[in-house]
Amino acid sequence: METDKLIKIIEPKVITSNRSYWAMHACSFLEYFYEHKNSEVNFSRLEKRNLPLTMASLKSESSEHFISQMRRYFRNWGFQYFLVHYLRTDSAENVVEDLVAFLSDIHNVDLTEYWTKYGWFVTGSDSRSGNRFIKSEDAPLLGADQLSLCDYEEAKNTDLCFRLRYEEESLRSDEVYEWKQAILGEVEGKWGSSINSRRYWEHKPELSQFGFGVSKKIDRNQIEVVRTARGDKVVVTLSSQDNVVSDFNDTLAMFDWVFHRRHSFDEIPRWFKIAGLSTTIEYLIDSMHLPVYEVIADLRRITLVAGKAEDETNDITMPSVPTIIT
């Protein structure tokens, strides 16, 4: 038995805004192809050739079947770009609360006392925005003795940072004391079932404290503690049958139609309309020739976040300015 407590089921919450929900999914797709360094197809390759950083340019410079060819990569590495948005929405508030409770338990500390805000960030050297974040974030790491995130070399091998913000009013003055806590974690989208094993954590940074995975073996989302040689880890496993996960995978079909209009050139396919995708699809079609970093910023603004969540996640990478040699 690799868990030290009963598995807790995480009940799904109702999606309250189709516009916000699908904007979040579209944003995740574009951020993966824009920010992730190791993708065979990405916007940074366009930048190196001084081509426009637009969806239209990505389409013209890629194989007609690049989306289906990239499916397995997006389902794994793209999942972290999705999570930093999803985990800041109302729909994921119970996931966040359970994660904080479990982390408090295994670290023997009350992470909820004076807690005011939380944020989610992509980390790791394989992400342009994630690499900048781990080099600049000075919040102390949970599980370490006075070690900041930016000073932790192994942060380059992690996937997510869960950052908690705190405020405490002084009893003797009007001063308000503010501080923050960084918690590192792992993501396994396609191979999520392995994240529940001790062996998985043997090859991960010691200060990674939690993990998110997707599994076909369960019907409902769950959270548990996995006991490892590197300490107890909190693992959230999402069922592949959960609507949020299946819709994340279906985002590829949406973009495939936006880029190539298969089967129906002018009319948005009926099942997209039924799912509430029309507004997002129309926006993407109208934005094909806009700079992708502007499209990402717009989709982020459309995505509604929970009251306690930070408004933003990683800073969007801006295109480099060519050096003029005189």
Side-chain angles (χ1 to χ4, degrees):
M1 187 71 173
E2 296 190 350
T3 60
D4 70 348
K5 63 167 65 177
L6 291 176
I7 293 171
K8 180 179 179 181
I9 300 299
I10 302 174
E11 297 296 341
K13 297 186 72 175
V14 176
I15 304 299
T16 57
S17 169
N18 266 340
R19 183 169 181 260
S20 169
Y21 179 72
W22 287 112
M24 170 184 68
H25 281 285
C27 187
S28 307
F29 175 94
L30 292 176
E31 285 195 42
Y32 167 70
F33 285 102
Y34 184 62
E35 298 287 4
H36 205 69
K37 295 179 183 179
N38 298 335
S39 175
E40 292 180 11
V41 177
N42 58 44
F43 285 96
S44 61
R45 297 191 180 198
L46 301 179
E47 186 175 2
K48 291 175 182 176
R49 297 167 57 193
N50 293 320
L51 295 172
L53 298 180
T54 64
M55 287 185 282
S57 183
L58 183 70
K59 171 190 171 184
S60 65
E61 296 298 320
S62 304
S63 159
E64 181 181 356
H65 303 288
F66 88 90
I67 292 180
S68 60
Q69 292 166 350
M70 294 298 295
R71 173 178 291 273
R72 65 191 181 102
Y73 302 104
F74 177 70
R75 286 173 61 185
N76 196 52
W77 290 296
F79 199 55
Q80 65 196 95
Y81 294 92
F82 168 74
L83 284 175
V84 297
H85 296 296
Y86 170 64
L87 291 171
R88 292 183 301 117
T89 66
D90 287 338
S91 301
E93 277 186 305
N94 53 342
V95 181
V96 171
E97 290 168 358
D98 283 342
L99 179 61
V100 171
F102 272 61
L103 287 168
S104 295
D105 187 24
I106 66 175
H107 288 278
N108 197 28
V109 60
D110 185 1
L111 293 171
T112 64
E113 189 175 17
Y114 306 117
W115 176 30
T116 58
K117 284 280 187 181
Y118 61 87
W120 287 93
F121 304 87
V122 172
T123 59
S125 58
D126 56 357
S127 168
R128 295 194 293 173
S129 59
N131 196 42
R132 287 196 309 275
F133 178 78
I134 61 177
K135 289 181 177 179
S136 62
E137 179 55 55
D138 61 358
L141 286 168
L142 181 66
D145 185 16
Q146 298 182 335
L147 177 66
S148 297
L149 173 53
C150 58
D151 296 323
Y152 183 48
E153 180 66 23
E154 283 299 299
K156 65 184 180 184
N157 298 319
T158 62
D159 296 320
L160 285 182
C161 175
F162 179 32
R163 188 176 69 189
L164 304 177
R165 289 188 177 276
Y166 298 89
E167 289 184 6
E168 181 183 7
E169 293 184 13
S170 171
L171 297 177
R172 299 182 179 180
S173 67
D174 294 330
E175 285 187 275
V176 176
Y177 301 104
E178 298 180 355
W179 68 97
K180 51 190 176 179
Q181 177 84 72
I183 311 171
L184 293 173
E186 305 296 328
V187 177
E188 294 295 337
K190 186 178 179 183
W191 297 281
S193 56
S194 66
I195 207 167
N196 302 82
S197 70
R198 291 193 184 110
R199 183 174 296 179
Y200 171 89
W201 292 96
E202 291 174 2
H203 307 288
K204 297 299 176 180
E206 186 172 357
L207 293 180
S208 276
Q209 308 291 0
F210 65 87
F212 278 85
V214 175
S215 176
K216 295 179 179 179
K217 299 178 181 179
I218 59 174
D219 298 326
R220 302 167 74 184
N221 301 337
Q222 62 187 41
I223 184 169
E224 64 189 302
V225 173
V226 176
R227 305 192 67 176
T228 81
R230 296 191 165 200
D232 292 350
K233 310 297 181 182
V234 182
V235 174
V236 177
T237 309
L238 305 179
S239 168
S240 61
Q241 300 175 38
D242 185 88
N243 287 339
V244 171
V245 175
S246 60
D247 289 341
F248 166 75
N249 294 326
D250 288 345
T251 302
L252 293 164
M254 174 179 70
F255 271 95
D256 190 55
W257 189 85
V258 169
F259 279 25
H260 303 293
R261 314 288 176 84
R262 303 182 199 280
H263 311 301
S264 174
F265 186 79
D266 295 315
E267 183 71 18
I268 295 174
R270 183 169 176 270
W271 79 271
F272 284 152
K273 292 181 179 179
I274 293 172
L277 279 156
S278 297
T279 301
T280 302
I281 287 176
E282 289 167 358
Y283 169 78
L284 292 172
I285 291 172
D286 291 343
S287 304
M288 285 291 288
H289 295 278
L290 294 178
V292 66
Y293 46 88
E294 293 183 5
V295 178
I296 290 171
D298 279 346
L299 291 169
R300 284 186 176 191
R301 281 190 286 270
I302 295 170
T303 303
L304 303 175
V305 301
K308 211 169 183 176
E310 294 189 36
D311 291 333
E312 275 294 345
T313 176
N314 300 67
D315 291 336
I316 302 169
T317 300
M318 289 292 106
S320 58
V321 178
T323 303
I324 300 176
I325 302 175
T326 58

